[in-house]
Amino acid sequence: MAIAPARKPTTRVLFLVAPGEQPMFTRMNLPPFGTGIVTASLRDAGCDVDLHDLNSDLWRMWRAGEFTKADLRPFYDERAVLDYVGGARNDFLDSFADRLLAGKDIEAAQVVGISAGGDFSFLEMQSAVVIGAHLKRHYGKPIVLGGNNLDYLMQFHDAFHSWWTAVITHFDAAVTGPGEDVFVDLVGKLARERTQLPMARPAPSPGVARLLGDTVLRAPDAAHRILAPDFDGLRLDDYHNFVRDRPTASPRKQEADEMWNRMQLYQFPAYLSWLANETNAQQAGQGVSGRLVMPYVFNYNCPYNCAFCTESLERVKLVHATVDDIVEDMAGLAGKYQTPYFYLFNNYFNLVNGFVEEFASRVILNGVQLHWSDCARFNSLTYERLALMAESGCRKLTFGLETASTKMLKIIDKRVKLAEAERVLGWCKEVGIWADLEIITGLPHEDEDTFAETTDFLERNAANINYFNVNRYFVAPKSLMGAKPEAYGMTLRKFPDAYQRLLDANYRWLAEDLEFSYKPQNFRVYEFDEIDGRSAEQLADVIVPKIAKLNAIQSTDFSDAWRVLSMRQDRAGRTPARFNNETMSMA
Ligand code: SF4
């Protein structure tokens, strides 16, 4: 008689996404990418992952009228949350966590992973630790925290020192940087031997934050791996984008529907796309149906060093999947989740020589039906390459121009040639790819002349620019400018109470029931004075007119469409922040 081989026991992981504010403002439209990657890695390693996005639970509680935005005040109270993590009683936080976790099989889990999200959302960061503390207190489970927001909190760890101290003291591990391999390692160790918490070990584990005395230490990041995200187990209907879908209509009508869908998913700026989604959702079943948009990434670690960017400080080896693997992943995700729509979040698409031709020809030859958008750089794009990209499904490219002042471009080491940028924008228009730009205003020593070069460029190329995002400069500590501010003509100002001030600003946004786009600029933790120039206060005074000037150049097509749709939804009084040139800060 043959003896069946002994089955390797699997580790049961409860993996949770902590909720943020978005479900209280607008429908979710994208499944959580980072969580999907870590889930794929854990399942590949043989773990049994029970995956839940608590945003879905918050959304249901919100729609059922179980709480108001103002009720959430305790989540925006530094001391209340950190005391609760430390063991203090707080009936509101405890019962709110209990309601979010209703119906989850907590007892079966050997380890709990919690993603603190990646949207610079304070509700995500605060609710992650509240849920972790609740699970430790009532169920005694080992807790591993992760998510892109931890990277943000670690960059500004001096401002969030109390948060880090509580997390490192009371949880089993907090992961910064890529989590796909670190989680597998931690889950295995925590399920086997719970003798010593990883964060208490003397030797650093890659990617796991530590305390040395009173100092918060970031361990060296683990390396990224390219994986297709795994969203199985999530309530996928909750991320539906509602688009036109009339399979029995004439080919001409179906073609027109597809053009509308591309506009909604790719051409519209986020504020309009969200509103169109809300409007369409009310007509679900009447020629409208829900489709997922898949997030996917196939390259990490940019070779450029734009001085404001978090990619600029350390030289990390490029990670890039092969064309075969990328096309296989995208075709696999499209089939599994029944959607041709993708949002790619690469550093930029055309990063490797020859990649554009190989990718596009493989997609076209294999007959894979895709629609996708991504970031791109102007250099190396030709008319022929853009035409191939359009044929392979590229609908929109977002270019980081940042500024059109040659002097400022040189200072930030952007390596963009303006003549080349103008040519590429024209070609995008010709081949049918919408071209968006990222613009930064408020860089140190940006004066009237350098700012005017940017506005001139935008006006001159308006016909070829679909939309541009206006970003107010903020100092990222993990950038060249953040690491050496004096070299860029800045002296940093740090606020001792930045954490609570940011929490207060975020709570005001909720309690005053402002529109979603009024979300405070949570990454502006530091202000700066210009060396031999203007003070932070003087810079704050000039930023609003600059933003107003930029917004005035923007095409009015989208704002007109927003007004029509919002009147239909009876929401005309609540306008997006950009209509009022607002920049919410913690001040
Ligand atoms: S801004 Fe873009 S191109 Fe520049 S370093 Fe960052 S990711 Fe790379």
Side-chain angles (χ1 to χ4, degrees):
M1 189 177 72
I3 299 172
R7 283 189 61 190
K8 214 174 136 205
T10 56
T11 304
R12 169 92 170 177
V13 181
L14 175 64
F15 203 179
L16 305 169
V17 180
E21 292 91 352
Q22 184 176 348
M24 292 180 275
F25 291 88
T26 183
R27 304 181 69 85
M28 298 185 285
N29 66 338
L30 211 55
F33 176 71
T35 308
I37 292 296
V38 175
T39 300
S41 182
L42 286 166
R43 285 179 176 154
D44 282 354
C47 295
D48 175 10
V49 181
D50 182 20
L51 177 62
H52 299 273
D53 183 347
L54 299 182
N55 284 291
S56 286
D57 299 86
L58 186 83
W59 188 48
R60 282 173 177 75
M61 287 164 64
W62 169 248
R63 282 164 47 119
E66 291 184 25
F67 66 95
T68 67
K69 290 176 183 173
D71 290 342
L72 299 181
R73 175 75 219 179
F75 280 101
Y76 297 86
D77 180 334
E78 174 185 352
R79 278 287 26 113
V81 166
L82 299 186
D83 287 350
Y84 177 73
V85 172
R89 182 174 166 171
N90 187 314
D91 292 342
F92 175 82
L93 294 175
D94 202 49
S95 70
F96 205 89
D98 197 46
R99 285 149 71 198
L100 284 168
L101 292 165
K104 318 291 180 288
D105 189 358
I106 299 164
E107 292 292 358
Q110 289 165 274
V111 180
V112 180
I114 303 177
S115 166
D119 286 343
F120 302 113
S121 150
F122 271 94
L123 186 56
E124 288 173 339
M125 299 179 242
Q126 301 285 88
S127 69
V129 294
V130 166
I131 290 157
H134 178 91
L135 290 168
K136 268 219 163 283
R137 185 176 304 186
H138 297 288
Y139 300 89
K141 299 293 176 186
I143 305 290
V144 181
L145 286 181
N148 262 347
N149 281 334
L150 265 60
D151 200 72
Y152 156 77
L153 289 163
M154 181 58 91
Q155 280 199 57
F156 297 99
H157 62 78
D158 49 356
F160 300 109
H161 189 267
S162 57
W163 189 93
W164 275 109
T165 304
V167 162
I168 296 176
T169 307
H170 297 290
F171 297 133
D172 297 77
V175 177
T176 52
E180 45 269 37
D181 291 328
V182 178
F183 262 83
V184 172
D185 185 44
L186 289 170
V187 161
K189 284 179 180 151
L190 285 165
R192 277 196 308 274
E193 23 132 341
R194 291 221 48 216
T195 48
Q196 196 177 27
L197 303 180
M199 287 193 283
R201 288 183 184 137
S205 306
V208 181
R210 284 188 310 143
L211 266 181
L212 194 63
D214 192 35
T215 308
V216 176
L217 292 179
R218 179 184 188 124
D221 284 357
H224 268 298
R225 264 190 312 130
I226 309 294
L227 292 163
D230 184 345
F231 299 121
D232 292 1
L234 295 174
R235 292 191 255 206
L236 291 172
D237 291 1
D238 289 356
Y239 311 98
H240 271 166
N241 291 267
F242 286 87
V243 294
R244 295 184 180 191
D245 180 22
R246 294 181 292 175
T248 54
S250 68
R252 196 176 53 78
K253 283 187 176 154
Q254 289 196 45
E255 210 174 295
D257 285 351
E258 182 51 39
M259 277 316 295
W260 273 105
N261 296 344
R262 290 182 196 179
M263 283 165 58
Q264 180 184 327
L265 297 177
Y266 296 101
Q267 187 187 14
F268 290 176
Y271 72 86
L272 182 57
S273 185
W274 287 329
L275 185 58
N277 192 22
E278 295 277 3
T279 310
N280 289 351
Q282 292 164 6
Q283 285 151 21
Q286 301 159 42
V288 167
S289 64
R291 284 294 188 89
L292 289 172
V293 175
M294 277 292 115
Y296 179 61
V297 170
F298 58 76
N299 70 45
Y300 292 101
N301 306 332
C302 181
Y304 283 85
N305 298 302
C306 309
F308 61 89
C309 174
T310 52
E311 296 276 325
S312 64
L313 194 57
E314 288 167 19
R315 172 70 49 234
V316 186
K317 195 166 163 249
L318 172 69
V319 175
H320 200 301
T322 64
V323 171
D324 281 343
D325 287 347
I326 295 166
V327 176
E328 190 183 320
D329 279 355
M330 291 179 74
L333 288 166
K336 182 177 176 187
Y337 295 110
Q338 296 290 295
T339 181
Y341 302 117
F342 281 77
Y343 290 163
L344 305 180
F345 294 102
N346 293 301
N347 286 131
Y348 62 101
F349 183 84
N350 51 324
L351 196 152
V352 167
N353 275 344
F355 173 76
V356 169
E357 288 85 345
E358 260 199 80
F359 171 84
S361 49
R362 200 71 52 91
V363 168
I364 296 162
L365 276 176
N366 291 356
V368 188
Q369 294 299 316
L370 299 174
H371 304 282
W372 55 271
S373 61
D374 203 352
C375 292
R377 281 188 61 96
F378 295 111
N379 46 306
S380 84
L381 284 180
T382 60
Y383 179 89
E384 291 72 23
R385 285 188 180 131
L386 286 162
L388 269 176
M389 286 162 75
E391 211 183 326
S392 72
C394 178
R395 303 291 164 241
K396 182 171 79 176
L397 292 174
T398 301
F399 297 93
L401 175 69
E402 330 303 358
T403 164
S405 150
T406 38
K407 179 179 152 198
M408 300 304 287
L409 283 169
K410 201 156 179 215
I411 291 171
I412 61 172
D413 197 16
K414 188 69 207 179
R415 302 190 187 211
V416 162
K417 295 192 182 104
L418 293 172
E420 185 173 46
E422 297 199 46
R423 272 199 306 275
V424 170
L425 289 172
W427 290 333
C428 283
K429 179 84 170 186
E430 283 179 45
V431 303
I433 292 174
W434 287 300
D436 280 10
L437 297 180
E438 294 292 345
I439 298 294
I440 299 177
T441 185
L443 284 160
H445 300 281
E446 178 190 56
D447 58 23
E448 280 182 25
D449 292 342
T450 51
F451 181 68
E453 287 180 71
T454 302
T455 53
D456 288 351
F457 180 96
L458 294 171
E459 280 167 344
R460 204 165 58 241
N461 292 283
N464 297 331
I465 298 168
N466 176 58
Y467 186 77
F468 55 89
N469 294 301
V470 178
N471 305 285
R472 183 176 174 185
Y473 172 67
F474 68 94
V475 182
K478 218 177 94 184
S479 68
L480 281 169
M481 291 175 75
K484 299 176 192 163
E486 287 77 15
Y488 293 89
M490 295 186 284
T491 316
L492 296 192
R493 279 203 214 170
K494 300 183 179 179
F495 302 101
D497 54 350
Y499 181 13
Q500 185 57 55
R501 286 166 61 131
L502 280 162
L503 287 170
D504 288 342
N506 281 268
Y507 181 66
R508 279 198 301 277
W509 165 53
L510 275 194
E512 291 172 17
D513 202 19
L514 297 171
E515 217 262 347
F516 187 43
S517 53
Y518 282 82
K519 182 178 175 179
Q521 297 177 317
N522 290 332
F523 25 76
R524 280 189 50 237
V525 178
Y526 304 150
E527 300 290 346
F528 64 87
D529 300 311
E530 289 176 343
I531 296 172
D532 298 329
R534 296 159 291 184
S535 66
E537 290 75 17
Q538 288 170 319
L539 290 166
D541 284 344
V542 296
I543 200 71
V544 175
K546 280 183 175 175
I547 289 172
K549 170 103 200 204
L550 289 165
N551 283 341
I553 300 169
Q554 196 87 257
S555 156
T556 54
D557 292 355
F558 299 131
S559 43
D560 291 346
W562 185 90
R563 287 193 176 91
V564 171
L565 282 182
S566 60
M567 268 159 61
R568 269 196 225 152
Q569 286 216 12
D570 201 18
R571 299 163 46 131
R574 307 180 69 224
T575 52
R578 65 162 295 275
F579 289 13
N580 303 320
N581 308 311
E582 287 283 350
T583 62
M584 289 279 282
S585 70
M586 67 170 149

